[in-house]
Every structure is written in C-alpha cells, then in structure tokens.
Amino acid sequence: MGSINTIVTIEIKATNPFELKATTTALHQLARLDSEVLVKLAELSKSPKAITQLKTNFPMIKGFLSN
C-alpha cells in the first residue's frame, strides 16, 4: 500500500529563533508518528490537566515510559 505525502503550512508563534527551531523540530518529529498516536496526542493536548501533568511531571513520565 502506498502513502500520501502532503505539505502543510502551520503558523508558529515564537519569542526567539531558538524557540522557533525547537518547535519546528518537535512538529517534524510528530509528523512521523502514525495517525492513531497523533490523534491520541491531539486529544491529550485539549486537556489542561494533561498539559499541566506533562509540564510538572515530565521527568517521571519519561522515566516510566523509557527503556
């Protein structure tokens, strides 16, 4: 089965070039995920509680999920 490739333009608001580069890199990495995972991450992004947990407990979450 083939794949469909498309170019999407997204407006990124950043306060400096370093933030812009980090955001751009993260979006490129997310674009490589399969649609099921991407949709689930998008759902989590709608939850203020999920965002707060990621910001405050990221080292623990990453350690729990990493090998």
Side-chain angles (χ1 to χ4, degrees), residues 31-46:
R32 289 192 283 260
L33 296 174
D34 65 57
S35 62
E36 180 184 358
V37 174
L38 195 55
V39 168
K40 289 177 180 178
L41 287 172
E43 184 69 27
L44 285 176
S45 76
K46 297 174 189 175

Side-chain angles (χ1 to χ4, degrees), residues 20-59:
L20 180 62
K21 182 174 170 80
T23 301
T24 303
T25 300
L27 288 170
H28 281 286
Q29 291 171 341
L30 288 172
R32 289 192 283 260
L33 296 174
D34 65 57
S35 62
E36 180 184 358
V37 174
L38 195 55
V39 168
K40 289 177 180 178
L41 287 172
E43 184 69 27
L44 285 176
S45 76
K46 297 174 189 175
S47 166
K49 184 177 179 182
I51 292 168
T52 299
Q53 290 298 317
L54 279 170
K55 287 182 175 184
T56 58
N57 296 315
F58 184 72

Side-chain angles (χ1 to χ4, degrees), residues 10-21:
I10 299 173
E11 182 178 332
I12 300 171
K13 295 181 181 178
T15 57
N16 60 59
F18 303 108
E19 184 180 343
L20 180 62
K21 182 174 170 80

